[in-house]
């Protein structure tokens, strides 16, 4: 404890204005509203979920539902591909945006646009573009003599569309993070490397990559946690269709809870994802420390 | 200057006391007035909501009730009611368009709904009785079957088409001249597409003859399938709620119905996007004239035109019946009956007042105004309201034009064979529909290129699993 605060504390106690115990009481009273809110919106829901996820029958039902098994595969593909492609591209793009020049500044402004566009109009636009009847993709495809394709009406092209939208939408955010990290790397390191005859690839391999390694891992873990719980993109793009073939865990949990009316099953879906999410968070916290 | 502990506690006690007395005063005051919390499905047209607000206001005044009514759109209200019933903090009265399919059978089974048999008995002389069984559900806690809701209005299947597109295609546009035999009927709409595309490929190249919803997310798909299944004389549940879908006759009918949808889609007479349509998408495609006809439960499509483009309503579109079955019999129509429920664990624990409110709403004159507010989108569950000339005659155009929609709809409800959706018989059926088992079977044929028989077997298997797992 700092010497100054010790002095102040003993002076206040000596003056008899506030004893240490009495200072705790108002602190506690002022904290009560927040603690009450925390109890209502964090502790109680957690308790509520806990009472519902320890039912073996729920998991028997889930694992016997082919949609659930398919959903696990979809989620792994979605998280695995979307996160890794997005972060790799973000790393590359941050290098481009890190260079000086008017064109780069213009590109940066353009490049940030997807991040600024709200999800709903963004997805509606993509859906419109992919419409089998009226979509521009099929119009181009027809003009090229490649015929039409039902983009959102088959499982893998629909999942591909969801992944592409996710990358398009969130790439700018992660690029900005990497750009900030790059700007923190001392310029002298690059200057020394170039004096020693290193090229751009070697500078990236031996300076940028090691210096950005930590932040890259943290970003990957964070993005995985966000993407695993992603509901909006999938729900708005395909609603889990066609034929429930593009559900991810979040949309399946919603379907069980509100469409089927089985809240236990919905909780069960999240419970099965919990160990993986907790593992990510655990590694993340360890890395940050 | 800082406070002493004594001063702080004194100030806090005084402030707390003052706050408590301020808060308690209106509570005492409110405690003397009866309270009622009502959650009502937001209507599709402002006229519906305005009519309901007026009814609520009249009830408030007539009964000196502190009535809190809120309107929510159907999907959100369904989620809200399910959450509230799970948390056992429901409203006193809840009316959601999904009650009869997804909420009432399950929560009646779990013993969470108020028995409304007394209200039903009181209203019975007024009811179109075939609608009533929708609310006759099983309470697995009380081990009894009783009424656990109050049916108020119904919807069924009708087919709307653009008369002007048929004219363009060189085909008769009068409903009386359209063939009503099964094969000829569907061939007629296919021919409309062929003729239009031949006439002007640039203009009609993307217009489809049949706007049949075949997605696994839309409830319209369920209606379409059930109608086709009845046409092929099949059934999934027996009269006592047991699964009979796997009996040879029914399996064959299911496979035939699925084959019918598969052929429509794969032959290119149905828009490819239909595999992803939600319930509003066939409406949107009809409004934009990218389909010649569409089967649709409820009168939402013509009602939209009535309010926004009367010329379309009276002169350019019409409503026609589902065709006779492949065996030549008149069709049987599936009817969903929209029902009010009263949760037991409600905000004010006042089921009697809730029942009073429902009876007040369905008063003949009042309820007629409410239903007319939606241009007959819903059909009343009461004979006296249904006998209003509005339903048999429909709207009258400014130039005296006859209504080409509502009289057909009324004929279906009152003169045709009908069958109420069967969730009330077995609550597992709610899950069969919620999972959209039949829509998924259509996807198997349309996307995965399965045979109808294989798709039927998978769907029947899923139905049996769901029923076996229900508890």
């Amino acid at each position: 404890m700092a010497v100054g605060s010790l002095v102040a504390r003993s002076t206040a106690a000596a003056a008899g204005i506030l004893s240490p115990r009495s200072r705790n009481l108002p602190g506690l009273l002022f904290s009560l509203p927040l603690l009450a809110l925390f109890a209502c919106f964090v502790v109680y829901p957690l308790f509520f979920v806990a009472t519902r996820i320890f039912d073996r029958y729920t998991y028997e039902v889930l694992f016997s539902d082919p949609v659930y098994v398919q959903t696990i595969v979809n989620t792994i593909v979605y998280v695995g591909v979307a996160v890794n492609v997005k972060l790799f591209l973000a790393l590359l793009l941050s290098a481009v945006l890190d260079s000086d020049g008017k064109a780069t500044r213009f590109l940066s402004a353009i490049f940030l646009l997807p991040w600024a566009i709200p999800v709903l109009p963004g997805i509606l636009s993509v859906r419109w573009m992919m419409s089998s009847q009226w979509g521009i993709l099929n119009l181009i495809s027809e003009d090229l003599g490649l015929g039409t394709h039902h983009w959102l009406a088959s499982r893998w092209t629909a999942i591909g569309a969801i992944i592409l939208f996710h990358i398009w939408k969130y790439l700018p955010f992660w690029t900005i993070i990497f750009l900030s990290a790059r700007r923190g790397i001392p310029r002298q390191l690059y200057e020394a490397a170039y004096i020693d005859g290193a090229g751009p690839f070697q500078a990236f391999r031996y300076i940028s990559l090691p210096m950005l390694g930590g932040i890259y891992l943290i970003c990957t873990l964070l993005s995985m946690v966000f993407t695993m719980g992603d509901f909006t993109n999938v729900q708005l793009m395909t609603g889990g269709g066609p034929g429930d073939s593009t559900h991810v865990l979040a949309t399946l949990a919603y379907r069980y809870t509100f469409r089927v009316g089985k809240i236990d099953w919905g909780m069960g879906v999240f419970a099965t994802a919990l160990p993986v999410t907790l593992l990510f968070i655990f590694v993340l916290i360890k890395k940050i420390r | 200057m800082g406070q002493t502990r004594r001063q702080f506690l004194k100030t806090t006690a005084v402030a707390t006391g003052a706050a408590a007395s301020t808060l308690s005063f209106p509570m005492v005051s409110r405690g003397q007035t009866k309270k009622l919390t009502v959650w009502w499905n937001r209507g599709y047209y402002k006229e519906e909501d305005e009519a309901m607000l007026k009814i609520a206001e009249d009830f408030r005044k007539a009964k000196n009730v502190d009535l809190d009514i809120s309107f929510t759109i159907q999907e959100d209200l369904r989620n809200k009611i399910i959450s509230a019933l799970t948390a056992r903090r429901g409203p006193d009265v809840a009316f959601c368009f999904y009650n009869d399919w997804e909420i009432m059978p399950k929560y009646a089974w779990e013993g969470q709904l108020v028995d409304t048999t007394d209200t039903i008995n009181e209203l019975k002389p007024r009811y179109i009785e075939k609608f009533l069984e929708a609310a006759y559900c099983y309470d697995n806690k009380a081990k009894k079957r009783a009424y656990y809701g109050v049916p108020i209005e119904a919807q069924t299947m009708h087919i709307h088409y653009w008369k002007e597109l048929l004219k363009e295609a060189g085909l008769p546009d009068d409903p009386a001249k359209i063939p009503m035999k099964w094969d000829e009927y569907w061939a007629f709409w296919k021919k409309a597409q062929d003729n239009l595309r031949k006439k002007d490929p640039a203009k009609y190249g993307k217009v489809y003859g049949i706007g049949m919803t075949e997605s696994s997310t839309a409830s319209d798909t369920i209606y379409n399938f059930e109608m086709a299944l009845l046409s092929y004389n099949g059934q999934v549940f027996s009269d006592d709620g047991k699964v009979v879908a796997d009996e040879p006759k029914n399996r064959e009918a299911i496979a035939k119905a699925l084959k019918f949808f598969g052929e429509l889609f794969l032959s290119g007479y149905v828009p490819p996007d239909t595999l992803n349509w939600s319930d509003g998408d066939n409406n949107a495609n009809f409004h934009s004239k990218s389909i010649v006809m569409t089967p649709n439960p409820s009168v939402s499509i013509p009602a939209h035109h009535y309010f926004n483009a009367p010329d379309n309503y009276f002169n350019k579109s019409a409503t026609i019946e589902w065709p006779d079955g492949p065996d030549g019999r008149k069709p049987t129509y599936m009817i969903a009956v929209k029902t009010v429920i009263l949760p037991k664990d409600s905000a004010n624990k006042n089921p009697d007042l809730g029942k009073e409110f429902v009876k007040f709403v369905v008063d003949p004159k009042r309820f007629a105004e409410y239903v007319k507010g939606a241009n007959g989108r819903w059909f009343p569950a009461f004979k006296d309201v249904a006998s209003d000339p509005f339903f048999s005659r429909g709207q009258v155009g400014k130039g005296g034009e006859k209504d080409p929609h509502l009289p057909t709809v009324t004929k279906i409800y009152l003169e045709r064979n009908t069958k109420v959706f069967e969730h009330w018989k077995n609550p597992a059926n709610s899950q069969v529909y919620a999972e959209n088992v039949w829509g998924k079977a259509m996807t198997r044929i349309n996307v995965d290129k399965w045979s109808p028989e294989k798709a039927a077997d998978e769907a029947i298997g899923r139905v049996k699993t769901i029923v076996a797992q229900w508890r």
Side-chain angles (χ1 to χ4, degrees), chain A residues 260, chain B residues 222 226 236-237 243 423 426-439 459 462-464 466-467 470:
Chain A
V260 179
Chain B
I222 297 165
E226 291 283 352
V236 178
F237 287 93
V243 180
H423 307 80
N426 189 332
N429 204 10
S430 291
Q431 192 179 330
V432 172
Y433 285 177
E435 288 194 13
N436 215 323
V437 170
W438 307 113
R462 185 64 193 157
V463 171
K464 288 168 78 176
I466 289 169
V467 172
W470 186 265

Side-chain angles (χ1 to χ4, degrees), chain A residues 47-55 58-59 263-265 267-268, chain B residues 86-87:
Chain A
F47 175 75
F48 181 79
V49 171
T51 57
R52 289 179 173 260
I53 59 175
F54 296 112
D55 181 1
T58 297
Y59 301 98
I263 197 164
D264 300 16
W265 299 3
M267 296 293 157
Chain B
T86 305

Side-chain angles (χ1 to χ4, degrees), chain A residues 25-26 29 55 57 64-65 67 131-134 142 150 152-153 243-244 254-255 258-262 265, chain B residues 8 78-79 82-83 102 106 206 208 216 271-273 275-276 290 431 434-435 440 447 462 469-471:
Chain A
L25 183 67
L29 286 172
D55 181 1
Y57 177 72
S64 69
D65 185 353
V67 176
S131 162
S132 311
Q133 258 169 289
W134 312 105
E142 279 172 22
H150 308 325
L152 296 176
D244 285 322
Y254 177 85
R255 171 178 170 269
F258 292 115
R259 294 305 310 272
V260 179
K262 300 277 191 184
W265 299 3
Chain B
F8 174 79
R78 175 194 58 206
N79 298 353
I82 289 175
S83 303
E102 297 181 30
K106 173 181 161 59
K206 298 279 185 184
Y208 288 83
S216 59
D273 282 344
L275 297 183
N276 290 97
S290 62
Q431 192 179 330
E435 288 194 13
K440 207 179 293 179
V447 178
R462 185 64 193 157
Q469 282 175 344
W470 186 265
R471 65 172 197 177

Side-chain angles (χ1 to χ4, degrees), chain A residues 179-251:
Chain A
L179 188 58
S180 313
R182 274 179 187 281
R183 297 256 161 102
I185 300 173
R187 293 282 135 185
Q188 296 90 324
L189 293 177
Y190 290 105
E191 286 163 12
Y194 290 134
I195 289 168
D196 288 344
F201 178 76
Q202 282 159 319
F204 175 77
R205 166 77 181 81
Y206 293 105
I207 300 172
S208 304
L209 205 54
M211 297 295 276
L212 293 174
I215 194 90
Y216 192 91
L217 182 65
I218 288 170
C219 288
T220 305
L221 290 166
L222 268 178
S223 180
M224 280 175 127
V225 173
F226 295 155
T227 313
M228 266 190 79
D230 182 26
F231 170 81
T232 318
N233 284 355
V234 184
Q235 185 69 18
L236 294 177
M237 186 75 81
T238 64
D244 285 322
S245 64
T246 60
H247 275 297
V248 291
L249 290 172
T251 55

Side-chain angles (χ1 to χ4, degrees), chain B residues 140-165:
Chain B
N140 196 42
K141 279 202 173 146
K143 303 286 177 204
K144 65 164 187 177
R145 198 172 269 283
Y147 291 101
Y148 288 102
V150 184
I152 61 170
E153 56 194 18
Q155 64 175 159
T156 191
M157 170 63 72
H158 1 73
I159 288 171
H160 312 296
Y161 67 92
W162 283 112
K163 289 167 80 171
E164 58 169 355
L165 284 180

